[in-house]
Amino acid sequence: RAKSQGRNTYGFYTEDLTRSASRRLELETRLRRALANGEFVLYYQPVKAVADGRLLGAEALVRWLPPGEPMVSPADFIPIAEETGLIVPLGEWVLRTACAQLREWLDAGYPAGSVAVNLSVEQIRRSDMETLLRDVLAETALPAHRLELEITESSLMEHGDQAETLLSALKALGVGLAIDDFGTGYSSLAYLKRFSIDKLKIDRSFVKDLADDRNDLAIAAAIVAVARALDISVQAEGVETEAQLGLLHELGCGVFQGYLCSPPLPADAFRERFLAPGRT
Ligand code: C2E
Ligand code: MG
Ligand code: MG
Ligand code: MG
């Protein structure tokens, strides 16, 4: 009895594994095809100064638009892309597209500022980011300081030693480096200095209840204090209310993004709303 139960359990287990493995494989195949068919698109979310609402730039965020189906969020495909290595060609497309877009806006005379691109450490690990960056900046004639690379705190900590060498090479090109989702990882402060980080992005989870939760307020205040002490700029993500913005201002957080200003928008909508208001 125990034996057959064991066998059943085993059978169920493998069936489950096979199902999820085949779903992954299917998704991988679809992602590969999506890249070839141009089904990915970049959305842009404005990044603004807390003090006066001046536009500083945009964060590029990738979306997948499978024809005839609802838009897929990056949270649902970036992890698979990372596991399968597809993050390398996808990330390359994102970087090139974002830089080309900013170049187009600058050429049109818009004060578009800078563009932030999310990098996966998996992408850095598996490819020659330094050469790619150099090529894309040259192709688009984009000054390096107009590009900011965002890397999540948790992924940075996971790949600490390797990341250090790579990031310092990227830094040497003159691009900005931001730590994304700051406060959710191990928060070892030593690496902020080591990596010569330019910006900390306070994770949305601390901003959400800023007005009601004293702990979140304390954490946000601590992040701002650390950043200031190290001469690093601070950006809050996920700002949805005036109350949150007011508190961030009081804390001395200089930069923000969030639905209060705008959700991420397709490039044309971003241009119409933030770069050329009143024009078409
Ligand atoms: P992230 O880089 O931390 O991006 C911020 C996320 O918060 C975005 O979700 C954005 O739409 C969302 N957001 C912005 N403001 C608000 C707000 O006021 N309230 C709420 N509730 N959410 C807000 P999104 O676009 O779904 O992206 C999720 C994550 O996927 C990103 O988090 C980033 O880690 C990853 N990702 C997106 N695009 C790329 C990419 O091109 N490459 C890589 N490697 N990762 C990407
Ligand atoms: Mg980001
Ligand atoms: Mg973030
Ligand atoms: Mg996030």
Side-chain angles (χ1 to χ4, degrees):
R1 193 158 182 244
K3 221 177 188 174
S4 77
Q5 209 173 33
R7 203 177 311 133
N8 279 340
T9 312
Y10 177 75
F12 180 73
Y13 179 64
T14 42
E15 192 187 302
D16 211 45
L17 256 186
T18 310
R19 205 186 300 136
S20 76
S22 70
R23 249 204 294 125
R24 297 214 134 206
L25 190 63
E26 190 197 316
L27 189 54
E28 183 188 345
T29 309
R30 293 188 62 201
L31 284 173
R32 210 174 281 286
R33 206 179 309 132
L35 197 59
N37 292 350
E39 294 172 16
F40 290 101
V41 63
L42 289 188
Y43 274 41
Y44 297 87
Q45 185 174 38
V47 172
K48 291 191 162 185
V50 170
D52 57 6
R54 189 166 40 97
L55 183 77
L56 301 174
E59 177 175 5
L61 294 153
V62 69
R63 269 97 183 92
W64 177 20
L65 299 171
E69 283 176 59
M71 185 162 87
V72 187
S73 117
D76 295 325
F77 62 84
I78 292 286
I80 314 271
E82 286 176 339
E83 273 174 43
T84 57
L86 261 178
I87 192 70
V88 172
L90 177 60
E92 182 171 336
W93 177 84
V94 168
L95 181 71
R96 185 167 273 117
T97 306
C99 290
Q101 182 61 76
L102 180 57
R103 166 47 58 204
E104 189 187 312
W105 284 333
L106 293 173
D107 283 348
Y110 302 131
S114 60
V115 71
V117 170
N118 293 281
L119 279 197
S120 154
V121 168
E122 210 47 51
Q123 178 186 357
I124 303 181
R125 234 164 46 81
R126 293 178 188 241
S127 66
D128 183 357
M129 261 325 280
E130 197 185 339
T131 303
L132 174 65
L133 259 180
R134 211 189 291 277
D135 288 353
V136 169
L137 290 173
E139 268 168 40
T140 54
L142 199 68
H145 74 267
R146 289 195 184 262
L147 175 64
E148 183 169 85
L149 302 174
E150 298 191 359
I151 296 162
T152 64
E153 182 186 31
S154 45
S155 69
L156 195 57
M157 295 311 290
E158 255 172 61
H159 302 274
D161 289 342
Q162 236 172 344
E164 184 174 1
T165 325
L166 285 156
L167 290 188
S168 51
L170 301 188
K171 261 312 287 191
L173 295 176
V175 299
L177 279 188
I179 304 294
D180 208 344
D181 303 348
F182 190 77
T184 58
Y186 300 97
S187 299
S188 152
L189 300 177
Y191 73 83
L192 295 179
K193 254 192 115 89
R194 268 204 290 146
F195 291 158
S196 50
I197 297 303
D198 301 285
K199 183 189 270 180
L200 297 184
K201 294 186 71 176
I202 304 176
D203 190 68
R204 187 165 83 225
S205 60
F206 305 116
V207 174
K208 195 167 160 281
D209 299 317
L210 205 56
D212 317 295
D213 188 325
R214 297 174 60 94
N215 291 326
D216 287 345
L217 190 64
I219 289 166
I223 294 175
V224 173
V226 166
R228 290 198 139 185
L230 294 173
D231 201 22
I232 293 172
S233 106
V234 209
Q235 177 171 336
E237 51 179 27
V239 178
E240 298 185 355
T241 68
E242 289 290 351
Q244 292 165 347
L245 189 65
L247 287 167
L248 289 163
H249 190 39
E250 279 173 37
L251 293 180
C253 172
V255 185
F256 82 103
Q257 69 189 111
Y259 295 168
L260 176 64
C261 173
S262 170
L265 299 171
D268 284 349
F270 182 90
R271 173 180 42 81
E272 277 160 33
R273 186 150 163 220
F274 295 103
L275 300 176
R279 284 171 49 184
T280 36

